[in-house]
Amino acid sequence: MSDEISTDGVERIGPHDLGGLPGGPVDRTEHDAAHWERQVDAMVMLMRRKGVMIDPAQLRRGIESLDPDVYEKLSYYERWAGSAALNAIEQGLVTQAELDARIESLRTGPR
Amino acid sequence: MSHDHPHRHPPQADHREPVSHYEWLGVALNELLMEKGLYTAQELREMMAEVEAVEPSTHGARVVARAWVDEDFRVRLLKDANTAVEALGFDSAATDLTVLENTDEIHNVVVCTLCSCYPRSLLGRPPTWYKSASYRSRLVREPRSVLREFGTQLPDNVTVRVHDSTAELRYLVLPLRPQGTDDWTEERLAELVTRDSMIGVTTARTP
Amino acid sequence: MIPPETARPGPTPRFRIGDRVRIDARPLATHHRVPAYAKGQTGVIIRVCGEHEEPERLAFGQQHRLRRLYRVRLQQTDLWKTYEGSPTDTLDIEIFDHWLQPA
Protein backbone atom coordinates (compact mmCIF):
# COMPACT_ATOMS: atom_id res chain seq x y z
CA MET A 1 0.00 0.00 0.00
CA SER A 2 1.08 3.55 -0.64
CA ASP A 3 1.31 4.43 3.05
CA GLU A 4 4.40 2.32 3.51
CA ILE A 5 7.59 3.71 4.93
CA SER A 6 10.57 3.76 2.65
CA THR A 7 12.63 1.25 4.59
CA ASP A 8 11.48 -2.27 3.81
CA GLY A 9 11.95 -5.19 6.16
CA VAL A 10 11.72 -3.17 9.39
CA GLU A 11 9.42 -4.53 12.06
CA ARG A 12 7.42 -2.34 14.41
CA ILE A 13 9.31 -2.33 17.69
CA GLY A 14 6.17 -3.06 19.70
CA PRO A 15 2.48 -2.31 20.07
CA HIS A 16 3.37 1.28 20.95
CA ASP A 17 5.26 1.94 17.71
CA LEU A 18 2.54 3.82 15.86
CA GLY A 19 4.43 6.37 13.76
CA GLY A 20 3.32 6.23 10.14
CA LEU A 21 0.39 3.85 10.52
CA PRO A 22 -2.82 4.89 8.74
CA GLY A 23 -5.52 6.29 10.97
CA GLY A 24 -8.76 8.18 11.17
CA PRO A 25 -9.37 11.80 12.13
CA VAL A 26 -7.94 12.95 15.45
CA ASP A 27 -10.69 13.09 18.10
CA ARG A 28 -10.03 16.49 19.65
CA THR A 29 -12.66 16.23 22.36
CA GLU A 30 -11.28 17.53 25.63
CA HIS A 31 -11.62 15.07 28.51
CA ASP A 32 -11.23 15.98 32.13
CA ALA A 33 -9.21 13.26 33.80
CA ALA A 34 -11.29 11.04 36.08
CA HIS A 35 -10.41 10.93 39.76
CA TRP A 36 -8.87 7.45 39.49
CA GLU A 37 -6.79 8.67 36.53
CA ARG A 38 -5.43 11.60 38.53
CA GLN A 39 -4.63 9.15 41.32
CA VAL A 40 -2.76 6.79 39.00
CA ASP A 41 -0.89 9.75 37.52
CA ALA A 42 0.20 10.93 40.97
CA MET A 43 0.94 7.37 42.11
CA VAL A 44 3.39 6.93 39.24
CA MET A 45 5.04 10.28 40.04
CA LEU A 46 5.40 9.18 43.67
CA MET A 47 6.77 5.76 42.71
CA ARG A 48 9.44 7.63 40.82
CA ARG A 49 10.10 10.10 43.64
CA LYS A 50 10.41 7.20 46.10
CA GLY A 51 12.84 5.31 43.87
CA VAL A 52 10.56 2.41 42.94
CA MET A 53 11.06 3.47 39.36
CA ILE A 54 14.17 5.53 38.80
CA ASP A 55 13.14 6.54 35.31
CA PRO A 56 10.04 6.70 33.10
CA ALA A 57 11.79 4.12 30.90
CA GLN A 58 10.68 1.50 33.42
CA LEU A 59 7.07 2.56 33.07
CA ARG A 60 7.44 2.53 29.30
CA ARG A 61 8.93 -0.98 29.30
CA GLY A 62 5.91 -2.30 31.19
CA ILE A 63 3.51 -0.63 28.78
CA GLU A 64 5.39 -1.79 25.71
CA SER A 65 5.45 -5.39 26.91
CA LEU A 66 1.66 -5.56 26.95
CA ASP A 67 0.14 -7.94 24.43
CA PRO A 68 -0.68 -5.86 21.32
CA ASP A 69 -4.39 -6.66 21.61
CA VAL A 70 -4.39 -5.57 25.24
CA TYR A 71 -2.39 -2.41 24.46
CA GLU A 72 -4.91 -1.35 21.85
CA LYS A 73 -7.92 -1.93 24.10
CA LEU A 74 -6.63 -0.16 27.19
CA SER A 75 -6.92 3.54 27.85
CA TYR A 76 -3.84 5.57 28.63
CA TYR A 77 -4.03 5.40 32.41
CA GLU A 78 -5.09 1.76 32.34
CA ARG A 79 -1.76 1.06 30.65
CA TRP A 80 -0.03 3.09 33.34
CA ALA A 81 -1.79 1.10 36.05
CA GLY A 82 -0.76 -2.19 34.45
CA SER A 83 2.85 -1.16 34.12
CA ALA A 84 3.04 0.39 37.59
CA ALA A 85 1.73 -2.89 39.02
CA LEU A 86 4.33 -4.85 37.07
CA ASN A 87 7.12 -2.63 38.39
CA ALA A 88 5.82 -2.79 41.97
CA ILE A 89 5.69 -6.59 41.81
CA GLU A 90 9.20 -6.76 40.35
CA GLN A 91 10.48 -4.59 43.18
CA GLY A 92 8.85 -6.86 45.75
CA LEU A 93 6.55 -4.12 47.04
CA VAL A 94 3.35 -6.04 46.39
CA THR A 95 2.43 -9.51 45.18
CA GLN A 96 0.03 -10.46 42.42
CA ALA A 97 -2.02 -12.30 45.04
CA GLU A 98 -2.36 -9.14 47.14
CA LEU A 99 -3.46 -7.16 44.11
CA ASP A 100 -5.97 -9.81 43.03
CA ALA A 101 -7.43 -10.00 46.52
CA ARG A 102 -7.73 -6.22 46.78
CA ILE A 103 -9.37 -5.92 43.37
CA GLU A 104 -11.86 -8.61 44.37
CA SER A 105 -12.79 -6.82 47.59
CA LEU A 106 -13.04 -3.46 45.80
CA ARG A 107 -15.35 -4.94 43.18
CA THR A 108 -17.63 -6.64 45.67
CA GLY A 109 -17.36 -4.34 48.64
CA PRO A 110 -19.42 -1.23 49.35
CA ARG A 111 -18.12 1.86 47.57
CA MET B 1 7.87 -4.83 6.75
CA SER B 2 6.66 -2.75 9.59
CA HIS B 3 3.12 -2.72 8.35
CA ASP B 4 2.87 -6.42 7.72
CA HIS B 5 -0.45 -6.42 9.51
CA PRO B 6 -1.78 -3.02 8.58
CA HIS B 7 -4.49 -1.65 10.79
CA ARG B 8 -7.50 -0.61 8.81
CA HIS B 9 -8.56 1.06 12.00
CA PRO B 10 -5.56 1.84 14.14
CA PRO B 11 -5.89 1.32 17.85
CA GLN B 12 -8.34 3.77 19.36
CA ALA B 13 -7.70 2.93 22.95
CA ASP B 14 -8.22 6.17 24.74
CA HIS B 15 -11.78 5.43 25.67
CA ARG B 16 -12.19 3.48 28.84
CA GLU B 17 -14.62 1.00 30.21
CA PRO B 18 -16.35 2.60 33.17
CA VAL B 19 -15.24 -0.01 35.69
CA SER B 20 -12.57 -2.10 34.05
CA HIS B 21 -10.13 -4.54 35.57
CA TYR B 22 -7.24 -2.15 34.99
CA GLU B 23 -9.09 0.73 36.61
CA TRP B 24 -9.51 -1.39 39.73
CA LEU B 25 -5.89 -2.46 39.43
CA GLY B 26 -4.82 1.18 39.65
CA VAL B 27 -7.02 1.81 42.66
CA ALA B 28 -5.85 -1.42 44.36
CA LEU B 29 -2.17 -0.73 43.78
CA ASN B 30 -2.46 2.81 45.08
CA GLU B 31 -4.15 1.59 48.27
CA LEU B 32 -1.58 -1.15 48.85
CA LEU B 33 1.38 1.17 48.30
CA MET B 34 -0.02 3.57 50.90
CA GLU B 35 -0.76 0.77 53.38
CA LYS B 36 2.78 -0.50 53.00
CA GLY B 37 4.08 2.96 53.75
CA LEU B 38 5.63 3.90 50.40
CA TYR B 39 3.77 7.20 50.62
CA THR B 40 0.93 8.66 52.65
CA ALA B 41 -2.52 9.79 51.57
CA GLN B 42 -1.31 13.32 52.31
CA GLU B 43 1.62 12.91 49.91
CA LEU B 44 -0.75 11.60 47.24
CA ARG B 45 -3.05 14.60 47.64
CA GLU B 46 -0.11 16.97 47.49
CA MET B 47 1.22 15.30 44.36
CA MET B 48 -2.20 15.50 42.69
CA ALA B 49 -2.38 19.19 43.60
CA GLU B 50 1.16 19.76 42.33
CA VAL B 51 0.20 18.28 38.95
CA GLU B 52 -3.06 20.25 38.78
CA ALA B 53 -1.21 23.47 39.55
CA VAL B 54 0.59 23.45 36.20
CA GLU B 55 -1.58 25.08 33.55
CA PRO B 56 -0.58 26.15 30.05
CA SER B 57 -2.04 29.59 30.72
CA THR B 58 -0.03 30.22 33.90
CA HIS B 59 3.19 28.52 32.84
CA GLY B 60 3.93 27.97 29.14
CA ALA B 61 2.01 31.03 27.97
CA ARG B 62 4.03 33.29 30.27
CA VAL B 63 7.27 31.93 28.81
CA VAL B 64 6.05 32.64 25.28
CA ALA B 65 4.74 36.12 26.08
CA ARG B 66 8.03 37.06 27.73
CA ALA B 67 9.93 35.87 24.66
CA TRP B 68 7.69 38.05 22.47
CA VAL B 69 8.46 41.22 24.43
CA ASP B 70 12.03 40.61 25.63
CA GLU B 71 14.59 39.95 22.90
CA ASP B 72 17.36 38.96 25.32
CA PHE B 73 15.05 36.45 26.95
CA ARG B 74 14.03 35.04 23.56
CA VAL B 75 17.66 34.47 22.59
CA ARG B 76 18.42 32.80 25.93
CA LEU B 77 15.27 30.69 25.70
CA LEU B 78 16.26 29.32 22.31
CA LYS B 79 19.83 28.69 23.41
CA ASP B 80 19.28 27.30 26.92
CA ALA B 81 15.60 26.91 27.70
CA ASN B 82 16.06 25.39 31.17
CA THR B 83 18.03 28.36 32.48
CA ALA B 84 15.67 30.82 30.85
CA VAL B 85 12.47 29.37 32.31
CA GLU B 86 14.08 29.01 35.73
CA ALA B 87 14.75 32.75 35.64
CA LEU B 88 10.96 33.17 35.34
CA GLY B 89 10.55 31.09 38.47
CA PHE B 90 9.53 27.82 36.85
CA ASP B 91 11.04 24.56 38.04
CA SER B 92 12.46 22.67 35.10
CA ALA B 93 14.83 20.39 36.99
CA ALA B 94 13.12 17.24 35.80
CA THR B 95 13.06 18.34 32.18
CA ASP B 96 15.65 18.87 29.47
CA LEU B 97 13.71 21.52 27.63
CA THR B 98 14.12 22.68 24.04
CA VAL B 99 12.16 25.60 22.57
CA LEU B 100 11.36 25.54 18.86
CA GLU B 101 10.79 28.91 17.25
CA ASN B 102 8.21 29.32 14.52
CA THR B 103 9.06 31.84 11.81
CA ASP B 104 7.45 33.01 8.59
CA GLU B 105 9.29 30.16 6.85
CA ILE B 106 9.19 27.36 9.45
CA HIS B 107 6.34 25.81 11.44
CA ASN B 108 7.20 23.35 14.23
CA VAL B 109 4.88 20.71 15.65
CA VAL B 110 5.54 18.11 18.34
CA VAL B 111 4.44 14.50 18.76
CA CYS B 112 5.59 11.49 20.75
CA THR B 113 4.98 8.48 18.52
CA LEU B 114 6.17 5.89 21.04
CA CYS B 115 4.48 7.13 24.20
CA SER B 116 3.35 10.55 25.45
CA CYS B 117 6.47 12.64 26.14
CA TYR B 118 5.31 16.19 26.80
CA PRO B 119 6.67 19.33 28.51
CA ARG B 120 4.60 18.73 31.64
CA SER B 121 6.51 21.28 33.72
CA LEU B 122 5.10 24.03 31.46
CA LEU B 123 1.91 22.57 29.97
CA GLY B 124 0.65 20.13 32.62
CA ARG B 125 -0.81 16.76 31.67
CA PRO B 126 -1.12 16.20 27.92
CA PRO B 127 -4.57 16.37 26.32
CA THR B 128 -6.20 13.07 25.38
CA TRP B 129 -5.77 13.66 21.66
CA TYR B 130 -2.00 14.07 22.09
CA LYS B 131 -1.90 10.51 23.48
CA SER B 132 -4.31 9.12 20.88
CA ALA B 133 -3.33 6.54 18.30
CA SER B 134 -4.53 8.73 15.44
CA TYR B 135 -2.36 11.70 16.37
CA ARG B 136 0.71 9.60 17.11
CA SER B 137 0.41 7.54 13.94
CA ARG B 138 -0.52 10.28 11.49
CA LEU B 139 1.39 13.38 12.53
CA VAL B 140 4.74 12.06 11.32
CA ARG B 141 3.30 10.78 8.06
CA GLU B 142 0.81 13.49 7.05
CA PRO B 143 1.41 16.51 9.27
CA ARG B 144 -0.33 18.99 6.99
CA SER B 145 -3.54 16.96 6.97
CA VAL B 146 -3.51 16.70 10.75
CA LEU B 147 -2.83 20.44 11.09
CA ARG B 148 -5.78 21.16 8.78
CA GLU B 149 -8.00 19.16 11.15
CA PHE B 150 -6.92 21.59 13.86
CA GLY B 151 -7.84 24.46 11.56
CA THR B 152 -4.25 25.29 10.68
CA GLN B 153 -3.71 25.87 6.97
CA LEU B 154 -0.06 26.44 6.11
CA PRO B 155 1.11 27.81 2.76
CA ASP B 156 3.22 25.44 0.65
CA ASN B 157 6.27 27.66 1.06
CA VAL B 158 6.29 27.15 4.83
CA THR B 159 8.47 24.23 5.90
CA VAL B 160 6.84 21.89 8.42
CA ARG B 161 9.21 20.47 10.98
CA VAL B 162 7.76 17.53 12.92
CA HIS B 163 9.60 16.74 16.15
CA ASP B 164 9.21 13.19 17.46
CA SER B 165 9.80 13.57 21.18
CA THR B 166 10.58 9.99 22.11
CA ALA B 167 13.75 10.17 24.17
CA GLU B 168 15.24 12.61 26.67
CA LEU B 169 14.26 16.09 25.52
CA ARG B 170 10.96 17.91 25.90
CA TYR B 171 9.79 20.45 23.35
CA LEU B 172 7.82 23.67 23.56
CA VAL B 173 6.88 25.56 20.40
CA LEU B 174 7.35 29.34 20.42
CA PRO B 175 4.51 30.46 18.15
CA LEU B 176 4.66 33.53 15.95
CA ARG B 177 3.53 36.73 17.65
CA PRO B 178 0.23 37.75 16.06
CA GLN B 179 0.20 40.93 14.02
CA GLY B 180 -1.47 44.00 15.44
CA THR B 181 -0.16 43.43 18.96
CA ASP B 182 2.75 45.86 18.91
CA ASP B 183 1.59 47.94 21.87
CA TRP B 184 0.26 45.01 23.90
CA THR B 185 1.46 44.25 27.42
CA GLU B 186 3.04 40.93 28.26
CA GLU B 187 0.01 39.93 30.36
CA ARG B 188 -2.37 40.66 27.52
CA LEU B 189 -0.19 38.83 25.01
CA ALA B 190 -0.14 35.73 27.22
CA GLU B 191 -3.88 35.40 26.71
CA LEU B 192 -3.26 34.77 23.01
CA VAL B 193 -0.97 31.82 23.73
CA THR B 194 -2.93 28.58 23.74
CA ARG B 195 -1.79 25.15 24.77
CA ASP B 196 -2.28 23.90 21.22
CA SER B 197 -0.12 26.70 19.80
CA MET B 198 2.71 25.59 22.10
CA ILE B 199 2.36 22.00 20.85
CA GLY B 200 2.37 23.41 17.34
CA VAL B 201 -0.97 22.16 16.02
CA THR B 202 -2.31 25.71 15.82
CA THR B 203 -0.99 29.25 15.67
CA ALA B 204 -1.51 31.72 18.51
CA ARG B 205 -4.90 33.42 18.78
CA THR B 206 -5.31 36.54 16.69
CA PRO B 207 -6.62 39.64 18.44
CA MET C 1 28.14 14.11 40.60
CA ILE C 2 28.62 11.22 38.16
CA PRO C 3 29.59 8.05 40.10
CA PRO C 4 33.06 6.74 39.23
CA GLU C 5 31.73 3.35 38.11
CA THR C 6 29.80 5.05 35.31
CA ALA C 7 30.82 4.15 31.77
CA ARG C 8 30.97 7.30 29.64
CA PRO C 9 31.59 8.09 26.01
CA GLY C 10 34.90 9.67 25.06
CA PRO C 11 35.29 13.44 25.33
CA THR C 12 34.90 14.03 21.61
CA PRO C 13 31.51 13.32 20.06
CA ARG C 14 31.71 10.80 17.23
CA PHE C 15 29.55 13.06 15.06
CA ARG C 16 29.41 16.80 14.50
CA ILE C 17 26.61 19.05 13.35
CA GLY C 18 26.17 18.58 9.62
CA ASP C 19 27.47 15.00 9.52
CA ARG C 20 25.41 12.53 7.56
CA VAL C 21 24.42 9.48 9.59
CA ARG C 22 22.50 6.27 9.06
CA ILE C 23 20.18 5.02 11.79
CA ASP C 24 20.67 1.33 12.57
CA ALA C 25 17.87 -0.96 11.46
CA ARG C 26 18.78 -3.78 13.84
CA PRO C 27 15.85 -5.37 15.63
CA LEU C 28 15.65 -5.35 19.42
CA ALA C 29 12.84 -6.97 21.36
CA THR C 30 13.16 -4.84 24.49
CA HIS C 31 12.71 -1.14 25.18
CA HIS C 32 14.53 1.24 22.87
CA ARG C 33 13.81 4.62 21.33
CA VAL C 34 14.11 4.03 17.59
CA PRO C 35 10.70 3.76 15.90
CA ALA C 36 10.38 1.53 12.85
CA TYR C 37 9.92 4.42 10.45
CA ALA C 38 13.34 5.81 11.39
CA LYS C 39 15.28 2.55 11.21
CA GLY C 40 17.64 2.37 8.26
CA GLN C 41 17.06 6.02 7.37
CA THR C 42 19.77 8.51 6.58
CA GLY C 43 19.79 12.01 8.00
CA VAL C 44 21.93 14.87 9.24
CA ILE C 45 23.10 15.66 12.76
CA ILE C 46 21.55 18.97 13.83
CA ARG C 47 22.55 19.00 17.49
CA VAL C 48 24.73 17.16 19.99
CA CYS C 49 22.58 16.77 23.13
CA GLY C 50 24.99 15.65 25.81
CA GLU C 51 25.25 12.37 27.69
CA HIS C 52 22.26 10.43 28.96
CA GLU C 53 21.72 7.06 30.57
CA GLU C 54 21.32 4.26 28.05
CA PRO C 55 17.57 3.68 27.73
CA GLU C 56 17.86 -0.05 27.03
CA ARG C 57 19.37 -0.51 30.51
CA LEU C 58 17.37 2.21 32.19
CA ALA C 59 14.18 0.35 31.27
CA PHE C 60 15.29 -2.35 33.72
CA GLY C 61 16.32 0.15 36.38
CA GLN C 62 20.03 -0.14 35.56
CA GLN C 63 22.15 3.01 35.46
CA HIS C 64 25.74 4.06 35.07
CA ARG C 65 26.20 3.74 31.33
CA LEU C 66 26.00 7.09 29.63
CA ARG C 67 25.56 7.39 25.89
CA ARG C 68 25.76 10.50 23.77
CA LEU C 69 22.47 11.70 22.30
CA TYR C 70 22.01 13.52 19.00
CA ARG C 71 19.17 15.18 17.18
CA VAL C 72 18.93 13.85 13.64
CA ARG C 73 17.04 15.58 10.84
CA LEU C 74 15.34 13.35 8.30
CA GLN C 75 13.68 14.56 5.10
CA GLN C 76 10.00 13.62 4.96
CA THR C 77 10.26 12.78 1.26
CA ASP C 78 12.95 10.21 2.17
CA LEU C 79 10.82 8.64 4.90
CA TRP C 80 7.61 7.90 3.07
CA LYS C 81 7.05 6.44 -0.36
CA THR C 82 4.42 9.09 -0.90
CA TYR C 83 4.48 12.37 0.98
CA GLU C 84 1.89 15.09 0.56
CA GLY C 85 3.84 18.10 1.82
CA SER C 86 6.70 20.31 0.77
CA PRO C 87 10.00 18.70 -0.26
CA THR C 88 11.65 20.82 2.44
CA ASP C 89 9.54 19.33 5.27
CA THR C 90 11.53 17.50 7.92
CA LEU C 91 11.21 15.09 10.80
CA ASP C 92 13.62 15.68 13.69
CA ILE C 93 14.24 12.88 16.16
CA GLU C 94 16.64 12.13 19.03
CA ILE C 95 18.86 9.12 18.40
CA PHE C 96 21.52 7.72 20.71
CA ASP C 97 25.09 7.27 19.50
CA HIS C 98 24.94 3.47 19.61
CA TRP C 99 22.15 3.50 17.01
CA LEU C 100 24.08 5.65 14.52
CA GLN C 101 26.66 4.95 11.83
CA PRO C 102 28.43 7.36 9.49
CA ALA C 103 26.70 7.58 6.13
Side-chain angles (χ1 to χ4, degrees):
Chain A
M1 58 197 273
S2 61
D3 279 341
E4 287 173 351
I5 55 176
S6 296
T7 313
D8 288 325
V10 176
E11 299 283 342
R12 283 174 70 194
I13 69 173
H16 61 294
D17 185 7
L18 300 182
L21 293 179
V26 177
D27 179 356
R28 297 190 285 122
T29 314
E30 297 285 336
H31 299 276
D32 270 341
H35 183 70
W36 77 271
E37 293 176 310
R38 293 168 204 255
Q39 277 193 335
V40 166
D41 186 87
M43 173 183 76
V44 166
M45 301 297 147
L46 281 166
M47 287 175 75
R48 182 150 175 226
R49 192 167 285 185
K50 302 288 181 179
V52 178
M53 288 186 274
I54 57 171
D55 192 89
Q58 288 162 282
L59 186 74
R60 288 170 67 168
R61 170 177 58 86
I63 293 168
E64 293 160 8
S65 63
L66 288 167
D67 184 88
D69 290 340
V70 175
Y71 181 95
E72 291 176 19
K73 285 196 187 87
L74 295 187
S75 72
Y76 182 72
Y77 282 111
E78 285 178 321
R79 291 179 203 137
W80 276 38
S83 179
L86 174 78
N87 275 277
I89 292 168
E90 283 176 352
Q91 300 287 316
L93 277 170
V94 295
T95 65
Q96 187 67 55
E98 285 176 309
L99 285 167
D100 290 345
R102 181 59 56 97
I103 291 169
E104 183 59 24
S105 70
L106 284 168
R107 275 182 182 279
T108 54
R111 298 278 302 166
Chain B
M1 83 146 292
S2 73
H3 310 133
D4 50 357
H5 54 102
H7 294 269
R8 278 258 169 249
H9 306 284
Q12 296 284 356
D14 294 311
H15 303 281
R16 64 186 180 88
E17 294 296 302
V19 191
S20 72
H21 171 78
Y22 280 84
E23 175 179 342
W24 287 125
L25 176 62
V27 175
L29 179 62
N30 183 44
E31 286 188 4
L32 286 168
L33 291 177
M34 285 192 284
E35 284 167 27
K36 288 166 183 286
L38 185 70
Y39 51 85
T40 64
Q42 173 73 11
E43 285 180 290
L44 183 73
R45 281 193 298 273
E46 285 170 5
M47 179 60 81
M48 289 167 78
E50 193 179 313
V51 172
E52 299 299 326
V54 181
E55 290 276 352
S57 59
T58 56
H59 289 64
R62 282 188 48 210
V63 173
V64 169
R66 175 63 61 90
W68 283 347
V69 300
D70 181 341
E71 175 64 12
D72 288 345
F73 179 80
R74 186 187 70 87
V75 170
R76 257 193 302 151
L77 185 68
L78 296 173
K79 196 175 170 201
D80 180 0
N82 275 55
T83 308
V85 303
E86 276 158 23
L88 285 190
F90 296 124
D91 179 17
S92 69
T95 305
D96 191 338
L97 185 69
T98 291
V99 172
L100 308 160
E101 184 183 35
N102 285 352
T103 67
D104 290 333
E105 291 84 35
I106 291 168
H107 183 91
N108 296 286
V109 58
V110 182
V111 63
C112 174
T113 61
L114 296 180
C115 47
S116 57
C117 298
Y118 191 71
R120 285 179 57 134
S121 64
L122 292 174
L123 299 185
R125 280 193 310 259
T128 301
W129 59 258
Y130 185 83
K131 305 176 288 189
S132 71
S134 284
Y135 185 74
R136 287 163 55 196
S137 59
R138 289 178 55 221
L139 190 81
V140 291
R141 170 77 181 80
E142 39 175 334
R144 288 169 189 263
S145 295
V146 174
L147 289 172
R148 274 194 296 274
E149 287 174 28
F150 281 84
T152 307
Q153 186 83 38
L154 294 172
D156 290 344
N157 63 349
V158 171
T159 292
V160 175
R161 292 208 195 291
V162 173
H163 302 265
D164 193 353
S165 175
T166 59
E168 299 301 322
L169 309 187
R170 296 293 176 270
Y171 299 93
L172 186 84
V173 173
L174 174 55
L176 273 174
R177 178 172 175 167
Q179 292 183 340
T181 59
D182 287 355
D183 55 352
W184 284 40
T185 63
E186 189 177 335
E187 289 70 26
R188 204 171 158 212
L189 284 167
E191 291 170 13
L192 301 178
V193 187
T194 60
R195 175 197 70 200
D196 290 2
S197 71
M198 293 182 278
I199 301 172
V201 289
T202 64
T203 54
R205 286 193 189 104
T206 46
Chain C
M1 288 299 277
I2 296 174
E5 68 270 28
T6 301
R8 300 182 63 179
T12 310
R14 197 153 63 103
F15 302 109
R16 291 185 299 184
I17 292 171
D19 284 356
R20 287 191 69 76
V21 289
R22 184 173 185 276
I23 301 169
D24 272 356
R26 67 178 186 270
L28 182 66
T30 51
H31 175 77
H32 61 300
R33 310 273 175 86
V34 189
Y37 74 79
K39 286 191 173 182
Q41 300 289 345
T42 299
V44 174
I45 300 284
I46 56 168
R47 188 171 140 202
V48 185
C49 307
E51 300 170 19
H52 299 267
E53 288 285 349
E54 180 183 302
E56 291 85 341
R57 289 166 50 84
L58 210 47
F60 293 91
Q62 298 164 353
Q63 292 174 297
H64 310 310
R65 186 187 292 163
L66 298 179
R67 300 281 197 180
R68 197 162 269 118
L69 183 68
Y70 299 90
R71 295 197 76 212
V72 179
R73 177 160 294 163
L74 306 169
Q75 294 298 319
Q76 287 280 33
T77 48
D78 289 345
L79 278 178
W80 316 104
K81 286 178 177 170
T82 58
Y83 180 70
E84 51 152 13
S86 155
T88 61
D89 287 359
T90 63
L91 192 142
D92 296 355
I93 185 169
E94 296 153 53
I95 303 286
F96 279 89
D97 184 274
H98 58 294
W99 284 91
L100 292 174
Q101 298 301 332

